Structures are given as structure tokens and as C-alpha cells.
Amino acid sequence: MANVFLVGAGPGDPGMLTLRAKEIIESCDVMIYDYLANAEFLKWCKPDCEILYVGKKGGDHTLPQDQINGLIVEKARSGKVICRLKGGDPYVFGRGGEEGEELVEAGIDFEVVPGITAGVAAAAYAGIPVTHRDFTTSVCFITGHEDPTKSESGHNWAVYGQSTSTLVFYMGVGNLPMIAKNLMDNGRAADTPVALVRWGTRCNQTSFVSDLEHVAEEAQARNWQAPSIIIVGGVCSLHDKLGWFEKKPMLGQGVIVTRAREQASGLVGVLREQGACVREFPTISVEPLDDYAEVETAILQLARYQWVVFTSVNGVKHFWQQLRAIGLDARIFGGMRVAAIGPATADELRARGIEPDFIPEKYVAEHVVKGLLERGIAGSDVLIPRAKVAREVLPRELKAAGCNVTVLPVYETRLGQASGDEIMEALGAGDIRYVTFTSSSTVENFFELVPADAFRNFPEVRIASIGPVTSDTVRKFGLTPAIEPEDYTIPGLVDALIKDAAAK
Ligand code: SAH
């Protein structure tokens, strides 16, 4: 069985990775990756995977190709599973062929995992089908950057100029004037449409369409940079009609997500779906308690309570873990009434076979109390499984209403793995538009990492807070949330962000 895999990482959008590629990333012992392979994929590597960056960016080579080849062979000889990850497809201008030959010469077995090449994917994300019956019967992938040590051009410009093929140039931005001129000199009409797509399929994708006569000038005026593909041919005229990706409401908008990593995926997913460039900086981490004796006792005596009020998804998860650990299940809630403070908490209960007796319309403690009182909670024994440190409003108000309240810590939140320096660096780079806060503790921990005074140096960054309680915590630091949804939920927050982005 082969232990070396030449793997295509696709054009950048994480969704464009193949299932086979993901499997290999998850199981490899050594990861050797390039500049254009989305570094996001590295989070799937095993914790002890050795990760080596050999990327090339323009002329700046981290490792020359012969040393990359040597490195792959050396690592492969150890018998470990090697993932050689390259942008797009490994055999399309990726020098994968050379690496493969080197492996064969060294007597090392390898497999290839093709990837979606940028010439096809970036074109499609820019609304350009590389073939179309009305325009062309073929497509041609061409390097726009010939090996500089070659004495004679390998290009047959006469053939490119006279064909009706869609021409897709890789690595061609620097040579754009020469490419356009050669094509026109060799017979392509000056008004042939040309598209440039930069960072195709990523949240920072940009593109424009011109024609052979004007494209070089226009690219220069826009200070157009690599990595870009250049597409030449009538199909580029469909860009406006078929373009879809660049119409996403939050395309290119930098959004910082501060939620705990385990909880962020929902928010991150929807924001990405809207085109946002999401940066995850988990300012809190959800941790189990050191000791669960108290929780165990409470579970064994659950019949004492008439109501159990869950205030968070984590509360449900950690309570359940303990319940299961002592061999119990949902039946323990028998005649009891159960409340969930919000829709996500309610779903967590439903997933465990419990339909909450009460879910408030607004997701803050004050509304919960009101609703619970309407349902006759006054005077009951109430258990509230929740975080070790949490707001006191709910227990206080319920006590005031004559309830016998037991607060039961089932997990705790600590400062997350985010680094203040990394957040400052992201802010300093100037492409962050929003910072999102989904609880008071995300706010408190964020400003522990980034002093509020330093944050004030970025007045263009808008604060989005999930609801009034979180907003109050933001104000405590002398800052004002620009966005607060009417519906204090994650979907509400995302809607408010989209509206705000669209208003600009
Ligand atoms: N093996 C890769 C190509 C590597 S050559 C593939 O199959 O896609 C590097 C060139 O690919 C870049 O200079 C650029 O022309 C193109 N490229 C790679 N990713 C791109 C992207 N996301 N958007 C636009 N062009 C891209």
C-alpha cells in the first residue's frame, strides 16, 4: 500500500476539497503543504501530525523544488503516511508530475488525489462556464509564466490566436500585456472578452471582465495582483448573467467570531454561507468541572424538584453527561416540568427526547421569569443547571417569587485559546468589519485579550452583540454595539449583520 499521497486541495473554498483528500489529511503523519493550499485544512490533521510549509509565493520560494522533492522522499522512507497537499489539482501546473517521478525513481509507491483546478472553479464562481455550446468547443489550460530558464517559448501563439478555444492562463498576471498582445497579433479579435478572477472561490474573490485590447491597462489601473486566472473567450461575456458568488451579501467582509470553538460552527457556517471572511478567535472555552459529586447528588434527588430550567446548550450537554454516567436517561424527568431559555437549548433537549414545557419568546432572564410565573412556577422547587459563574437575575427573581431555587453548576467557562496578539494583527490588517459577541463572557474575555483602548483605534470595526445583556457588558468597557438584533438568537444576529452589510 502506498504511503505517499499527492493531494489536490482545490481552489480555496474548503467545500471544494474532495472526500478522499479530507480522509488523507485526517490520517497523515506528515503534512507538506503549499502557499495556495488553504491552511484551514490543517485543523483536520492529527494532533501529533508533523506540519511542514514549503509554499512558494511569486518568486519567494520557501524551499526550491529539488529540496521539496528531497524532503518528500526522505519523509516517505520513514514509512510514515505523507500528505503532499497542493492548491487546485496536483498535476495542473503544480509540479506534481516531477514529485511523482522523483518518488518512482526512489522506488516509493504513491497515489494521486486529483483536486478541482482553479481554472475551472474560479471561472465557475465568477459566472463563467469554460465551455458553452454557443461560444466554444474546447478549453485550453496555459501557463502564463513560462520557466524563465527556458531558451525558447513552448507556446505556439499562432495556434492560440487562431483557435476558438477558451484559454485559461495560470500565473499570468505579470505577463498580461504580453499575453494579450500575442493573442491579438496572432488573430484573436481585439474585442474578445477577457476575465480576471483573483482568489477565486474564497471569501475575498474579486473579478472583472474586459477585452483583449484593454485588459492590461485595466488590470494595471486596478493594481491587479496574483493569484489570478485569466480567461479569454466569448464565455466571459456570461460573467454578469451567470455570476452568483460575488453577489453574496457579506462577500469579503471580515467578521471576528469570539464564541467557544465547540459552539462556533453554526455561526461560522452561516456567516461563510453569506460570503463573510470569518476569523475565529475563541475567547471562551467550555470546560467540565473538576468534581461532579454535587451534580450526581442533585440528579439522584431530581424527584424533589417540580421544575428544571436549562439556560444553555452546554448546561443540557453537561447535565446529560452526568445523568448518563450514572446509568439514567430521559425518564428521570417523568412528571417534572422542563424549561429552556432559548431555541437552541430547546433543540438540545428535544434531541434527548424532552419537549420543553416552556420556551420564552425573548431570550433573556427577565422574560423567562415572567413566562414561568404565568405557568405557575411560584412556590415550586426549581433546579437550574448552568455555568459555574453566571448572571444571578434568574435565580434572584424566582426566589423573589417564592420559589425554592437550587443553582447547580455543571460546567465552567474559562479564557479561550485566542491570542490577543493575533486579534490585534487581524484588526491591524484592516479587513475586519465586525466583531461578534454572543454572551457577556465573550465580551469580558475579549477585552481581557485586547484592551478596550487599543480596540478604539479601529473605529471602522463594528460591534455586533446578540442581545441587551451582552450589549450592557460592551458598554461597561466604554464601547457601543452598532448592531443588536430584535431576536436574541444566532440566526437573529446573522440577519442583523446581513442587513447592516447591505446598508453600506
Ligand atoms: N495546481 C493549481 C495551480 C497552481 S499554479 C491548480 O490546479 O489550480 C498557481 C496559479 O494558479 C496561480 O498563479 C493562479 O493563476 C492560479 N490559482 C490558484 N488558485 C487560484 C484561485 N483561488 N483563484 C485564482 N487563481 C488561482
Side-chain angles (χ1 to χ4, degrees):
M1 211 189 88
N3 67 322
V4 181
F5 298 86
L6 302 182
V7 181
D13 175 345
M16 296 292 108
L17 189 79
T18 65
L19 296 174
R20 178 70 172 146
K22 185 165 189 253
E23 238 169 49
I24 289 162
I25 295 172
E26 285 167 341
S27 60
C28 69
D29 305 306
V30 183
M31 159 65 82
I32 305 175
Y33 76 104
D34 272 357
Y35 170 60
L36 284 169
N38 195 331
E40 174 118 355
F41 302 139
L42 303 180
K43 70 175 183 217
W44 292 324
C45 291
K46 297 188 292 191
D48 58 348
C49 175
E50 182 183 4
I51 297 176
L52 303 167
Y53 175 66
V54 295
K56 303 173 209 169
K57 183 179 171 184
D60 150 36
H61 291 214
T62 304
L63 263 194
Q65 188 63 41
D66 57 342
Q67 286 184 33
I68 297 177
N69 297 351
L71 179 74
I72 298 171
V73 170
E74 177 205 315
K75 293 287 173 191
R77 287 228 163 96
S78 68
K80 290 180 175 166
V81 177
I82 318 291
C83 174
R84 171 71 179 109
L85 190 67
K86 293 163 167 291
D89 180 274
Y91 279 0
V92 179
F93 306 122
R95 305 190 72 166
E98 293 161 53
E99 291 173 16
E101 284 180 299
E102 196 84 17
L103 287 163
V104 170
E105 273 155 33
I108 295 164
D109 289 342
F110 72 97
E111 291 182 12
V112 182
V113 182
I116 304 183
T117 188
V120 171
Y125 271 55
I128 301 168
V130 288
T131 73
H132 186 299
R133 288 171 22 139
D134 293 346
F135 297 97
T136 180
T137 52
S138 61
V139 54
C140 185
F141 297 135
I142 308 167
T143 171
H145 175 87
E146 280 201 299
D147 185 340
T149 59
K150 252 189 195 169
S151 54
E152 269 177 49
S153 171
H155 289 314
N156 188 336
W157 289 105
V159 169
Y160 301 152
Q162 277 145 39
S163 84
T164 54
S165 249
T166 300
L167 307 179
V168 181
F169 290 89
Y170 290 66
M171 303 169 283
V173 178
N175 287 332
L176 186 57
M178 179 276 284
I179 292 169
K181 181 172 182 302
N182 277 333
L183 293 176
M184 287 186 290
D185 288 352
N186 285 280
R188 282 260 171 150
D191 63 357
T192 306
V194 181
L196 262 66
V197 187
R198 176 163 198 248
W199 282 127
T201 79
R202 301 204 186 202
C203 64
N204 52 343
Q205 172 178 318
T206 47
S207 64
F208 75 91
V209 176
S210 179
D211 60 31
L212 277 179
E213 190 180 353
H214 302 98
V215 70
E217 205 180 304
E218 208 170 325
Q220 195 182 19
R222 291 172 185 254
N223 187 25
W224 203 261
Q225 303 288 331
S228 282
I229 53 155
I230 302 164
I231 309 159
V232 180
V235 287
C236 296
S237 63
L238 293 168
H239 171 268
D240 285 346
K241 192 173 177 186
L242 299 185
W244 56 276
F245 186 65
E246 287 170 51
K247 293 183 181 142
K248 294 205 172 232
M250 296 197 69
L251 191 85
Q253 310 265 342
V255 184
I256 288 183
V257 169
T258 55
R259 293 200 101 182
R261 187 163 318 274
E262 316 79 67
Q263 281 197 293
S265 62
L267 178 59
V268 170
V270 238
L271 286 171
R272 291 217 167 119
E273 199 57 49
Q274 301 299 331
C277 294
V278 182
R279 298 291 306 271
E280 278 186 72
F281 291 114
T283 58
I284 64 176
S285 78
V286 177
E287 306 283 343
L289 302 177
D290 292 333
D291 180 15
Y292 275 100
E294 195 191 342
V295 178
E296 200 180 310
T297 312
I299 291 172
L300 293 171
Q301 297 174 356
L302 205 64
R304 278 182 34 205
Y305 302 96
Q306 285 96 55
W307 277 90
V308 182
V309 180
F310 287 99
T311 60
S312 69
V313 167
N314 285 313
V316 177
K317 282 190 180 155
H318 285 88
F319 187 84
W320 233 266
Q321 241 162 38
Q322 295 312 311
L323 194 145
R324 296 289 304 120
I326 36 182
L328 296 169
D329 60 29
R331 285 171 293 182
I332 193 172
F333 287 92
M336 209 165 299
R337 310 253 265 159
V338 177
I341 204 169
T345 308
D347 285 343
E348 210 60 42
L349 285 166
R350 288 188 187 111
R352 291 165 173 83
I354 306 270
E355 181 59 36
D357 296 288
F358 173 62
I359 311 164
E361 265 161 40
K362 283 242 172 184
Y363 313 111
V364 281
E366 291 76 357
H367 287 267
V368 185
V369 174
K370 191 164 160 275
L372 286 169
L373 289 175
E374 282 165 15
R375 278 160 190 77
I377 201 172
S380 306
D381 291 301
V382 182
L383 182 72
I384 309 179
R386 58 168 211 182
K388 201 163 167 185
V389 179
R391 295 179 74 223
E392 291 310 322
V393 191
L394 181 62
R396 198 177 55 222
E397 301 274 310
L398 288 174
K399 275 181 200 156
C403 296
N404 183 14
V405 178
T406 305
V407 166
L408 180 70
V410 293
Y411 67 95
E412 62 181 321
T413 61
R414 301 210 189 119
L415 195 60
Q417 308 94 312
S419 108
D421 289 347
E422 279 174 28
I423 299 175
M424 283 304 287
E425 200 182 307
L427 290 168
D431 37 24
I432 300 294
R433 261 304 280 303
Y434 300 101
V435 176
T436 59
F437 293 116
T438 49
S439 67
S440 288
S441 39
T442 59
V443 179
E444 268 151 14
N445 291 1
F446 183 86
F447 290 115
E448 195 171 322
L449 295 165
V450 175
D453 276 339
F455 186 79
R456 262 185 281 274
N457 292 328
F458 305 100
E460 71 287 358
V461 178
R462 295 162 76 73
I463 294 179
S465 146
I466 197 163
V469 176
T470 303
S471 296
D472 279 345
T473 313
V474 171
R475 283 185 209 100
K476 231 176 63 189
F477 290 93
L479 292 156
T480 315
I483 295 154
E484 186 194 286
E486 272 166 37
D487 181 14
Y488 317 146
T489 61
I490 296 290
L493 181 65
V494 173
D495 280 348
L497 280 165
I498 295 172
K499 279 207 193 88
D500 191 81
K504 289 285 136 62

